[in-house]
Amino acid sequence: MSTTREPDALLLGGPRDGLLFTAEDAAIVQLEVDGLMQRYLRTSNREERNGIPLVVFVYDGAGAPEGGEPAVGAR
């Protein structure tokens, strides 16, 4: 039995713009990129890529991984 899942979500904006991934029921996605935590928030928007409906996560900004500095970004 395979545990591989098809992507069900898309990141828009920020350093990982266009990345497809499996979100399941996640509301927030945080990725460490170049020493900063990049945050993406789930929206109610949907996009279709290659016939696959995807949940859209939008870029919310970046901050230090330990939370020691304020976020900088898209707001």
Side-chain angles (χ1 to χ4, degrees), residues 13-31:
R16 295 294 185 248
D17 184 48
L19 179 72
L20 299 178
F21 69 103
T22 303
E24 297 177 350
D25 62 351
I28 298 172
V29 172
Q30 295 188 103
L31 305 169

Side-chain angles (χ1 to χ4, degrees), residues 2-63:
S2 174
T3 58
T4 303
R5 304 238 2 219
E6 290 293 319
D8 63 1
L10 166 70
L11 298 181
L12 286 182
R16 295 294 185 248
D17 184 48
L19 179 72
L20 299 178
F21 69 103
T22 303
E24 297 177 350
D25 62 351
I28 298 172
V29 172
Q30 295 188 103
L31 305 169
E32 187 170 348
V33 179
D34 297 330
L36 292 174
M37 290 303 293
Q38 309 291 333
R39 185 168 68 178
Y40 293 82
L41 304 176
R42 186 183 194 115
T43 70
S44 59
N45 297 340
R46 303 250 181 213
E47 282 198 17
E48 191 171 302
R49 298 273 171 101
N50 300 322
I52 300 169
L54 302 166
V55 175
V56 175
F57 283 72
V58 295
Y59 185 63
D60 186 51

